[in-house]
Amino acid sequence: MSEIRRRGGGEGGGKELYSDLYSRDKDIDVRLEGKGDADSRRPKLDIKEIFPAVDDTTAQKKIPSGLSARWKNWWIRGLLTITMITLFFLFIYFGPLTLLILITSIQIKCFYEIINIGYKVYHSYELPLFRTLNWYFLLCSNYFFYGETVTDYFFTLVQKEEPLQILIRYHRFISFTLYLSGFCMFVIRLVKKHYRLQFYMFAWTHVTLLIIVAQSHLVIQNLFEGMIWFIFPVSLVICNDIMSYICGFFFGRTPLIELSPKKTWEGFIGGFFTTVMFGFIMSYLLVQYYYFICPVEYSNETIGVNVNCQPSEIFQQHEYHVPYVLQDLLGWKTILLYPFQMHSVALSVFASLIAPFGGFFASGFKRAFKIKDFADTIPGHGGIVDRFDCQYLMATFVHVYIASFIRGPNPSKLLQQLLALQPEQQLLVYSALKSQLEDRGLI
């Protein structure tokens, strides 16, 4: 793809895509095939024809005339950003299951956008079952990850339904069997003249599954830990994106990184400070509501999702001593804070300094294919991947952060697992636990 970037910039642009990819092995292919590589005789492709530029003129007609293109783009992005944030609040209002549907829809659209790039580039090769196998592997991956989620967070529901017990008990075997069927179908459909290309696209699909599907299920697991672990990181990335854009738009002078020429140091630094302040204030507001801080669990009483609980330690106010250096300045010796506010600083710093590299990665990917955006779904913004490139990296960090610094032993999950044991096994656990407690003098 680096060859395409270096040589396809002219107006002619009609390079042979296959020879660009495989020119290094051309002589070997000719010797093996005897008659030359059939793929190299395909019609020439123009990158500009494969990926036509996104046309925002329809959206710009709705903006008042007399504005420069720069300000028109500002208005388009601004209006659609407000619309998307409003819709986001609406999904939050309807609860975790609605957010689950939203996350899955975004995942499917992101997968489609990335796979579609590969499909358009190699469309003329007519690879056997290329699209069918892509969607099949997506289905298998979702079946596996959703099964794992149901087992972890809806164990009570599973225990009530015998068909679900069977599916959960053999879940990983079923998942592997489904994947193996797709794998065997891929091998069966290999065509001699397209071997290397088919394996390239097989790798393309699996990397996309890793980047999009696996990370989107980390978002879902964060959501089930409590909606605050979903809403707060997403809001941080949105805040950083907006404030970086605003600071860069008005004050930007110094380019930040070659991959994204419009990004500036002024925008990057301005986004950092505003995001940390925003995170500290927003974390205080969110911890006031059980709806946000309680883990999402299935309730037998309501026969539905429950978001009521006794708040954990990080969502209860604690008194902290102010460092001596700041006591004279602030006039306080102690201060009341929620521990989550302290964690919010770490999350805000990551959202400001590291999460943008997800966007830089996406920019590099787009430059490799000479495209402006992944799609034209949202005028002024591009495709869904263009809006969520940083969110996936942020979600992975939050998942690791929860596992490393937040999550402790969960008595309710342990009790659920004990109740799933056979009666004789439960008695053995009871005897062992009783003996341990007596030895420690607790009973």
Side-chain angles (χ1 to χ4, degrees):
M1 293 306 166
S2 60
E3 288 296 313
I4 298 174
R5 184 175 65 250
R6 287 196 296 268
R7 299 188 299 175
E11 290 297 319
K15 302 296 182 183
E16 290 191 58
L17 186 59
Y18 189 77
S19 61
D20 283 339
L21 291 170
Y22 308 123
S23 57
R24 193 184 306 173
D25 299 320
K26 185 176 179 182
D27 294 338
I28 298 174
D29 288 339
V30 170
R31 288 198 300 271
L32 289 175
E33 299 294 339
K35 295 181 180 180
D37 194 334
D39 287 338
S40 63
R41 296 192 297 271
R42 294 288 181 180
K44 297 181 179 181
L45 300 175
D46 192 334
I47 284 292
K48 293 180 181 178
E49 294 174 2
I50 296 172
F51 300 109
V54 177
D55 186 8
D56 288 340
T57 54
T58 305
Q60 289 182 357
K61 286 177 182 177
K62 300 177 182 179
I63 304 302
S65 58
L67 296 176
S68 65
R70 185 168 178 257
W71 278 100
K72 282 184 179 180
N73 185 59
W74 162 273
W75 278 101
I76 292 172
R77 288 177 67 95
L79 291 173
L80 287 169
T81 297
I82 292 170
T83 304
M84 288 188 287
I85 291 174
T86 305
L87 289 173
F88 181 56
F89 282 131
L90 193 62
F91 278 106
I92 292 171
Y93 173 77
F94 284 116
L97 292 183
T98 309
L99 288 172
L100 182 64
I101 294 170
L102 174 65
I103 295 165
T104 305
S105 303
I106 290 171
Q107 175 218 103
I108 293 171
K109 185 63 169 69
C110 289
F111 180 83
Y112 168 78
E113 288 179 1
I114 297 178
I115 288 298
N116 203 42
I117 292 174
Y119 179 76
K120 285 184 176 180
V121 169
Y122 303 109
H123 179 68
S124 60
Y125 294 93
E126 299 175 353
L127 298 182
L129 294 179
F130 172 54
R131 280 201 158 180
T132 304
L133 283 175
N134 284 334
W135 291 108
Y136 179 79
F137 284 128
L138 176 66
L139 180 66
C140 293
S141 302
N142 275 309
Y143 177 82
F144 170 74
F145 284 116
Y146 273 113
E148 296 289 306
T149 302
V150 168
T151 305
D152 287 342
Y153 296 98
F154 292 90
F155 190 80
T156 308
L157 175 63
V158 170
Q159 288 301 109
K160 289 173 60 179
E161 305 292 338
E162 191 169 343
L164 283 178
Q165 290 182 34
I166 296 171
L167 286 174
I168 293 302
R169 182 177 180 183
Y170 301 106
H171 170 67
R172 294 191 177 184
F173 181 78
I174 295 170
S175 300
F176 179 70
T177 303
L178 289 172
Y179 174 80
L180 203 58
S181 301
F183 176 79
C184 292
M185 184 59 66
F186 167 77
V187 174
I188 290 169
R189 301 298 294 180
L190 284 172
V191 178
K192 186 176 182 181
K193 61 181 179 179
H194 299 315
Y195 282 161
R196 191 175 308 135
L197 181 58
Q198 285 181 286
F199 278 105
Y200 268 33
M201 298 316 301
F202 184 79
W204 182 298
T205 302
H206 282 67
V207 170
T208 306
L209 290 173
L210 178 65
I211 293 174
I212 301 298
V213 182
Q215 292 192 102
S216 71
H217 280 276
L218 297 183
V219 178
I220 292 171
Q221 291 191 10
N222 296 343
L223 172 65
F224 281 106
E225 291 291 333
M227 286 206 290
I228 195 170
W229 295 108
F230 168 75
I231 296 168
F232 185 67
V234 168
S235 301
L236 290 177
V237 173
I238 292 172
C239 173
N240 182 254
D241 191 39
I242 293 172
M243 296 311 299
S244 295
Y245 178 74
I246 292 174
C247 293
F249 186 88
F250 288 106
F251 310 110
R253 295 291 182 274
T254 315
L256 174 65
I257 187 170
E258 187 180 350
L259 285 172
S260 296
K262 293 183 180 179
K263 297 288 193 304
T264 63
W265 275 105
E266 291 81 3
F268 188 73
I269 295 169
F272 168 75
F273 285 109
T274 52
T275 301
V276 172
M277 289 188 290
F278 169 81
F280 196 77
I281 296 168
M282 186 182 183
S283 61
Y284 175 80
L285 297 175
L286 289 177
V287 297
Q288 309 299 320
Y289 301 94
Y290 287 0
Y291 183 70
F292 296 128
I293 64 177
C294 290
V296 178
E297 296 176 342
Y298 178 81
S299 171
N300 284 323
E301 297 175 1
T302 60
I303 315 178
V305 172
N306 179 38
V307 284
N308 291 316
C309 66
Q310 178 63 34
S312 64
E313 284 291 315
I314 66 166
F315 301 121
Q316 296 179 23
Q317 263 191 344
H318 289 70
E319 189 175 40
Y320 294 94
H321 289 282
V322 177
Y324 290 110
V325 232
L326 299 176
Q327 284 183 8
D328 292 335
L329 179 64
L330 299 175
W332 304 328
K333 290 188 177 180
T334 60
I335 187 172
L336 286 174
L337 288 174
Y338 292 94
F340 184 75
Q341 288 180 275
M342 313 297 288
H343 292 292
S344 76
V345 176
L347 297 177
S348 299
V349 169
F350 186 91
S352 305
L353 301 183
I354 307 299
F357 280 83
F360 301 151
F361 177 86
S363 296
F365 185 89
K366 288 184 288 187
R367 280 179 168 272
F369 289 96
K370 285 188 164 293
I371 56 176
K372 180 183 177 183
D373 298 309
F374 282 91
D376 56 356
T377 310
I378 313 168
H381 291 267
I384 300 297
V385 177
D386 293 289
R387 288 299 89 214
F388 287 87
D389 44 16
C390 302
Q391 294 286 4
Y392 284 122
L393 184 59
M394 183 71 195
T396 304
F397 172 73
V398 171
H399 184 79
V400 173
Y401 191 88
I402 292 172
S404 303
F405 305 108
I406 306 298
R407 186 188 295 128
N410 191 326
S412 62
K413 284 190 178 181
L414 182 59
L415 182 60
Q416 289 174 358
Q417 292 174 343
L418 289 174
L419 293 175
L421 298 175
Q422 297 297 323
E424 57 273 15
Q425 294 174 318
Q426 291 175 348
L427 287 171
L428 284 173
V429 173
Y430 169 74
S431 300
L433 181 60
K434 182 183 178 183
S435 174
Q436 287 287 332
L437 293 175
E438 285 176 345
D439 290 344
R440 293 162 59 186
L442 297 176
I443 59 173

